[in-house]
Amino acid sequence: MNDTPVNIPDAIPTLEADIPAEALAGPGMLWYVLGGVILLLLAAAVALLLWWQARRRPAVLGPSPLQRAMEELTALEEELPPLRPCALRLSLLLRSYLAGRAQDPALFETQEEFNQRMDALATLPVALRPATRELLEELAAYKYAGETASDSTQSRALIERSRELLQQLDDAQQAAEAAAARGEEDEDA
């Protein structure tokens, strides 16, 4: 090892006195800056193009509330559980449909709360309110009854009534939406 002590201030190199700025920047530095700006502009243009395309593309819609309900009814019909579990699942299915399609809070209420609410089913067409209420009350009677014998004929009948009611409700809802759209078009004209 070298045992001679090093004088630190003497070891620091000295710089030339006047180095021009052009010598540090050099002619290549301008190309790097220009290339960086061009890359940044290209990235911004690609991002803008992707954003614009995403906004133009229609959103992929899932199955409608009616389609989901009909699929569940078909599965329930294939399984065909005893009357009480069948009524329980049908009631949940109808209430879910009403909550999703007609914005009725029936899904989140007990049958007593539903019966006491004055505006129950107010968003449904007047002609379909009694049939909907009757089916929900009948399903509630089976739901809250004790275990009964497995009656596949009655379960099938309830499933079919539910299917018909859901189709009627959806048809009426679509007709109301179409009428509302025509009304808006008439106002715009």
Side-chain angles (χ1 to χ4, degrees):
M1 296 204 57
N2 192 357
D3 291 334
T4 57
V6 176
N7 189 359
I8 294 179
D10 292 336
I12 298 175
T14 57
L15 300 176
E16 297 177 22
D18 292 323
I19 300 176
E22 294 82 25
L24 294 176
M29 188 64 157
L30 179 63
W31 290 110
Y32 289 124
V33 171
L34 188 59
V37 169
I38 289 172
L39 283 176
L40 189 62
L41 288 173
L42 283 173
V46 168
L48 185 64
L49 180 66
L50 290 174
W51 174 78
W52 181 69
Q53 292 249 337
R55 284 189 43 142
R56 277 191 45 207
R57 188 177 312 132
V60 176
L61 300 176
S64 71
L66 178 66
Q67 290 170 331
R68 282 193 304 270
M70 291 301 179
E71 289 170 2
E72 290 179 36
L73 282 173
T74 301
L76 186 62
E77 194 169 37
E78 289 171 0
E79 180 184 334
L80 202 60
L83 188 57
R84 183 170 185 249
C86 182
L88 181 69
R89 288 175 55 186
L90 284 172
S91 176
L92 181 62
L93 187 140
L94 285 171
R95 289 170 180 266
S96 296
Y97 176 84
L98 291 173
R101 182 75 165 131
Q103 284 76 43
D104 190 275
L107 177 63
F108 311 105
E109 298 174 321
T110 64
Q111 187 64 30
E112 288 112 14
E113 291 171 332
F114 173 76
N115 288 338
Q116 292 173 356
R117 186 166 44 96
M118 296 300 288
D119 65 340
L121 307 176
T123 57
L124 297 182
V126 176
L128 294 175
R129 289 178 195 168
T132 305
R133 185 176 294 280
E134 287 171 17
L135 183 56
L136 286 172
E137 287 176 3
E138 185 177 347
L139 291 172
Y142 290 123
K143 269 188 335 188
Y144 298 123
E147 287 297 322
T148 58
S150 179
D151 187 357
S152 61
T153 307
Q154 205 165 9
S155 293
R156 283 186 200 282
L158 286 174
I159 292 170
E160 190 55 39
R161 280 179 56 201
S162 299
R163 181 177 282 122
E164 290 171 5
L165 179 65
L166 286 169
Q167 187 63 56
Q168 291 172 350
L169 288 170
D170 198 71
D171 291 345
Q173 190 79 21
Q174 287 180 4
E177 289 171 0
R182 282 192 304 270
E184 289 176 6
E185 290 173 5
D186 292 343
E187 289 176 7
D188 292 339

